[in-house]
Amino acid sequence: MDIIQQLVKNKIVSPQTAIGLRTKIRQTQKTAEEIILEEKIMPEDTLFELKSHLLKIPFRREMPDSIPPRILEIISKESAQYYKAVPLEIKNGVLEIGMVYPERIEAQEALKFLARQQKFEYKIFLITLSGFKSCIAKYRAPKQEMKRALAKLEAEIKAEKGTKISGKAVKFKATMEEAPVIKIVAVILKQAVDGKASDIHIEPTKDNLRVRYRLDGILHSSLLLPKAIHPAIVVRIKILSGLKIDETRIPQDGRFSANIGGEMIDFRVSTFPTTLGEKIAIRVLDPSQGLKSLTDLGLSERNFKLVKEAITKPYGMILVTGPTSSGKTTTLYSILRNLNKDQVNVVTLEDPVEYSINGVSQSQIKPEINYTFARGLRQILRQDPDVIMVGEIRDKETAELAVHAALTGHIVLSTLHTNNALGAIPRLIDMGIEPFLIPPSLLLVLSQRLVRVLCPFCKKKVKADKKMRDFILKKIESLPQEAIGKMKALKQPLYLYEPKGCKKCKFKGYAGRTGVFEVLKMTDDLARILTSGMQRDRLLAEAKSQGMVSMEMDGILKALEGVTSVEEVMRVIKEKS
């Protein structure tokens, strides 16, 4: 009996769902475990506990913090990746081996061969896919690799005294194409992906070359490299990105893909000339981090229901607002993936295209050749679309075309730069949209920010002091009456959660980010306010009567649930407002 049959037997999935899972396995060539986890049918630990019971092989949940090189050498990295089997530790003369797929005959035969050849006894344990990834990463220690590559590169730089990259003379090309600089860039990229960084900043200073990573929205210094290798690093990244290596006077943009840990990751590159040399900013476009389902965004029950209702409408406009790096594109992609079906024609205009979505026609605007959002939107309307995504409404012409498309039977998704949901309406009017056109075209405005999530392994529960308790209770008074009714328990002693720090979160206290939202729905009352002369206090009153919870309050409610901290909510709302 395989794992899917076991799920059906245990009534975890229906026979119809099982057929769908097997179809996806055939189409994607992925394993049953990978598909089950992608579909979020059950947590990873629970799935592998079930598999352990099915195979009668002990399940090992915790992986060792470190694995000595002498043990890792028993199974080569290439073999470990191919068979998904890693040596963990030796106990009482027996090698413990973690395997993701111990049921595979070829893996069993390979282990028997290695044991005979190297004369060792072994015991198999079932491990999870994430456990395997953490172990395989230990084969190469980034710091050691970087140290060896730097030593080799510095030696070559000394041998190439006086060699520089300047103007059109690229005399350093031989050095930067050698293995050391390739290794250094590979380690920088791998550290970013492994650490779930969203951006990499490579910037020259007076004394050295600084590498910083943006983790959960905050920049952290990670590496200080010799300044002498700066030209080689820049040229290597330019070659990967297809940029002009002899052009150092003006900014350039490019992108490339690389295989990191068996996954293809896209990187978007921007160069910027400074007085100390070119600075490089790299956006890490990891689909596993950037493509989320609606349920993973952090929407409250009310907000989730409103978004789901809006995307089932046959036409209308949904706007997502917020400052740069507030997660707007991730939210749009989540909605887009929900709408993407075989019978629907989905077309997008983006600047730039961040993630590729199967079945969606994605187009990148190019202002330098006058291919703008407005011009592209005119062309899209000739492509018989059902759903249109416009990366951003920036001007009057784009706004008018988007409203026209929403009025003529299309779902239109786009973004605006406003501080809150209510701000989207006066922003559209400022762009020249007549107030009477907004109610029939606009379905929903969703405004958002991103807050860091407390590490679930080390967050600390504390009793709120009087000052914090009074602050929260005062904020709660601004909630709609329906929401206040659910908060009666807060009259009792109030508990919050604080970051602490552990190995799991690399002693930061936070791991990952989630959204805080406010959602404004177009209603008949809101339409009457717009057409009778817009007044902000009347808009606020209507939003409250709808039950709209502000982003700040959404964040505080998440803090009370232990998702984040009040300090983190205040930091983000203050910074981005």
Side-chain angles (χ1 to χ4, degrees):
M1 183 182 291
D2 66 17
I3 192 72
I4 293 180
Q5 288 174 317
Q6 189 68 40
L7 292 181
V8 174
K9 183 180 177 182
N10 291 5
K11 297 184 179 179
I12 295 170
V13 301
S14 66
Q16 291 77 16
T17 302
I19 292 169
L21 291 175
R22 294 191 190 281
T23 301
K24 286 183 180 178
I25 291 168
R26 287 194 302 273
Q27 290 174 343
T28 62
Q29 300 298 304
K30 292 181 179 179
T31 64
E33 291 84 349
E34 288 172 327
I35 295 297
I36 290 166
L37 292 175
E38 281 181 10
E39 296 294 317
K40 298 186 178 354
I41 289 171
M42 61 198 311
E44 189 178 41
D45 278 359
T46 307
L47 172 64
F48 279 85
E49 280 177 359
L50 180 63
K51 183 174 178 177
S52 169
H53 176 74
L54 186 64
L55 298 177
K56 294 182 170 49
I57 294 174
F59 174 48
R60 179 159 175 165
R61 183 179 280 101
E62 296 295 327
M63 296 297 104
D65 291 332
S66 62
I67 304 174
R70 63 183 179 83
I71 291 178
L72 289 173
E73 287 169 4
I74 296 171
I75 300 176
S76 70
K77 185 181 180 187
E78 292 73 22
S79 296
Q81 286 179 320
Y82 184 79
Y83 295 112
K84 294 292 187 290
V86 287
L88 302 173
E89 57 187 332
I90 295 176
K91 282 187 179 178
N92 301 320
V94 177
L95 176 64
E96 295 186 352
I97 295 176
M99 299 182 73
V100 180
Y101 306 110
E103 68 275 19
R104 291 181 176 174
I105 301 299
E106 67 271 20
Q108 295 174 16
E109 293 299 323
L111 270 181
K112 288 176 184 176
F113 174 77
L114 278 174
R116 286 196 303 269
Q117 191 180 52
Q118 300 186 37
K119 296 182 174 57
F120 64 79
E121 292 183 38
Y122 65 89
K123 182 178 180 181
I124 294 173
F125 288 85
L126 183 69
I127 60 174
T128 62
L129 281 159
S130 58
F132 171 77
K133 285 180 181 177
S134 72
C135 290
I136 205 73
K138 293 177 173 62
Y139 271 87
R140 291 191 293 177
K143 287 184 180 178
Q144 293 174 358
E145 281 192 61
M146 184 71 80
K147 193 174 179 181
R148 285 196 297 269
L150 277 172
K152 188 173 180 182
L153 186 56
E154 284 177 327
E156 292 182 0
I157 290 170
K158 286 178 183 177
E160 294 275 344
K161 279 185 180 179
T163 304
K164 293 181 180 178
I165 297 178
S166 61
K168 294 185 178 180
V170 191
K171 298 176 182 177
F172 209 60
K173 191 172 180 180
T175 302
M176 57 84 192
E177 285 182 346
E178 291 295 323
V181 72
I182 293 173
K183 179 67 73 177
I184 290 169
V185 172
V187 170
I188 290 172
L189 298 178
K190 187 175 187 302
Q191 278 193 314
V193 175
D194 289 347
K196 295 180 172 57
S198 61
D199 300 87
I200 309 167
H201 291 247
I202 303 171
E203 46 205 355
T205 67
K206 286 185 178 180
D207 303 316
N208 47 47
L209 182 65
R210 180 172 65 170
V211 179
R212 294 191 290 172
Y213 297 108
R214 189 176 294 281
L215 304 170
D216 297 333
I218 296 175
L219 274 173
H220 299 271
S221 289
S222 179
L223 298 168
L224 289 175
L225 305 176
K227 193 172 182 181
I229 74 168
H230 174 231
I233 298 289
V234 170
V235 174
R236 172 61 184 163
I237 292 171
K238 282 185 173 182
I239 287 173
L240 287 171
S241 311
L243 303 179
K244 295 177 181 178
I245 60 176
D246 59 343
E247 179 56 82
T248 61
R249 301 163 300 170
I250 61 173
Q252 296 185 72
D253 294 314
R255 66 189 296 155
F256 66 93
S257 299
N259 191 314
I260 309 289
E263 298 287 337
M264 287 305 296
I265 308 295
D266 289 336
F267 298 90
R268 195 173 77 226
V269 176
S270 172
T271 70
F272 184 75
T274 73
T275 55
L276 297 172
E278 287 183 281
K279 174 184 174 179
I280 293 180
I282 304 174
R283 172 63 58 89
V284 183
L285 301 172
D286 185 349
S288 67
Q289 302 299 314
L291 292 177
K292 297 180 181 293
S293 67
L294 276 177
T295 54
D296 293 331
L297 295 178
L299 291 162
S300 66
E301 183 181 351
R302 173 202 177 258
N303 292 342
F304 182 80
K305 183 181 177 183
L306 289 177
V307 173
K308 287 289 284 184
E309 283 178 358
I311 63 178
T312 59
K313 302 291 184 183
Y315 61 89
M317 186 162 58
I318 298 172
L319 295 177
V320 183
T321 82
T324 303
S325 300
S326 59
K328 299 188 300 295
T329 302
T330 298
T331 298
L332 282 183
Y333 276 3
S334 298
I335 295 172
L336 207 59
R337 292 171 74 200
N338 212 283
L339 293 168
N340 184 24
K341 297 178 175 63
D342 286 343
Q343 63 270 32
V344 175
N345 180 22
V346 183
V347 188
T348 76
L349 276 174
E350 304 176 57
D351 183 25
V353 175
E354 294 201 359
Y355 299 100
S356 178
I357 303 176
N358 287 334
V360 176
S361 300
Q362 296 171 268
S363 180
Q364 181 168 327
I365 69 162
K366 296 178 181 177
E368 64 273 16
I369 59 171
N370 198 31
Y371 181 45
T372 61
F373 279 124
R375 188 173 181 182
L377 191 46
R378 287 185 187 278
Q379 194 60 40
I380 277 181
L381 293 171
R382 301 188 186 106
Q383 290 287 315
D384 186 31
D386 297 294
V387 178
I388 301 168
M389 187 183 97
V390 182
E392 184 184 345
I393 295 177
R394 296 176 178 171
D395 52 51
K396 179 181 179 180
E397 187 179 6
T398 307
E400 287 176 342
L401 287 166
V403 168
H404 173 73
L407 289 170
T408 53
H410 306 89
I411 288 286
V412 179
L413 311 174
S414 193
T415 69
L416 277 177
H417 282 288
T418 65
N419 286 331
N420 50 47
L422 286 172
I425 293 172
R427 179 82 177 107
L428 288 173
I429 294 171
D430 288 344
M431 284 182 168
I433 302 301
E434 294 291 344
F436 70 86
L437 290 176
I438 295 176
S441 61
L442 184 62
L443 292 172
L444 200 74
V445 181
L446 183 152
S447 193
Q448 67 179 84
R449 302 288 188 276
L450 292 176
V451 295
R452 291 179 292 168
V453 174
L454 287 167
C455 173
F457 299 99
C458 66
K459 63 183 179 183
K460 185 180 177 184
K461 187 175 182 179
V462 295
K463 186 177 178 181
D465 59 28
K466 185 178 185 303
K467 185 178 178 182
M468 180 60 75
R469 187 175 183 276
D470 290 345
F471 169 77
I472 291 174
L473 290 176
K474 186 175 180 181
K475 291 289 182 182
I476 285 170
E477 289 175 4
S478 67
L479 282 171
Q481 200 60 42
E482 182 184 348
I484 290 176
K486 297 178 182 179
M487 307 299 293
K488 288 179 180 176
L490 292 177
K491 300 298 180 183
Q492 305 301 320
L494 188 63
Y495 287 93
L496 297 168
Y497 294 83
E498 294 179 348
K500 184 180 179 184
C502 65
K503 285 183 180 179
K504 296 276 188 181
C505 62
K506 298 178 182 176
F507 299 97
K508 291 182 175 65
Y510 295 93
R513 288 190 291 176
T514 190
V516 290
F517 301 90
E518 57 185 41
V519 179
L520 180 70
K521 177 185 177 182
M522 182 54 65
T523 61
D524 291 341
D525 288 339
L526 186 56
R528 279 191 287 273
I529 293 169
L530 289 176
T531 53
S532 62
M534 192 188 68
Q535 296 176 16
R536 183 167 177 78
D537 57 342
R538 292 179 67 193
L539 285 177
L540 283 168
E542 167 57 18
K544 191 168 183 178
S545 72
Q546 285 186 21
M548 187 183 89
V549 174
S550 70
M551 282 181 287
E552 182 184 46
M553 269 314 306
D554 191 42
I556 289 173
L557 293 175
K558 284 182 168 68
L560 291 170
E561 293 168 1
V563 175
T564 188
S565 64
V566 174
E567 291 76 15
E568 172 66 7
V569 173
M570 293 300 104
R571 178 188 72 82
V572 170
I573 298 299
K574 184 179 178 181
E575 279 185 5
K576 301 294 185 180
S577 296

